[in-house]
Amino acid sequence: MNHSCQPNCETQKWTVNGDTRVGLFAIDDIPANSELTFNYNLQCVGPDKKPCMCGAPNCSGYIGSKATK
């Protein structure tokens, strides 16, 4: 699992029998042997931003920054 500004999966937080669980769900058809990706949605704190190298056409350039449309 890696970050992408144009992911093919999303995370969902569920409560199951009182326990918090995180599930990963496809948001597109994913061809066999493709990498599974999701948007980390991290908040940038401080002056040091982590460069994003996902290669998506809408890449924001930094993890945690909003992707362009």
Side-chain angles (χ1 to χ4, degrees), residues 6-12 24-30 37-39:
Q6 191 171 347
N8 56 20
C9 298
E10 68 179 6
T11 57
Q12 294 179 12
L24 187 69
F25 299 89
I27 54 177
D28 290 319
D29 289 335
I30 304 171
T37 60
F38 70 105
N39 189 330

Side-chain angles (χ1 to χ4, degrees), residues 16-64:
V16 179
N17 295 326
D19 294 323
T20 301
R21 304 286 186 218
V22 176
L24 187 69
F25 299 89
I27 54 177
D28 290 319
D29 289 335
I30 304 171
N33 300 315
S34 294
E35 180 180 25
L36 301 178
T37 60
F38 70 105
N39 189 330
Y40 291 172
N41 289 318
L42 299 175
Q43 291 184 5
C44 295
V45 178
D48 297 329
K49 293 182 179 183
K50 298 276 187 202
C52 180
M53 298 178 209
C54 72
N58 66 332
C59 182
S60 68
Y62 296 97
I63 294 177

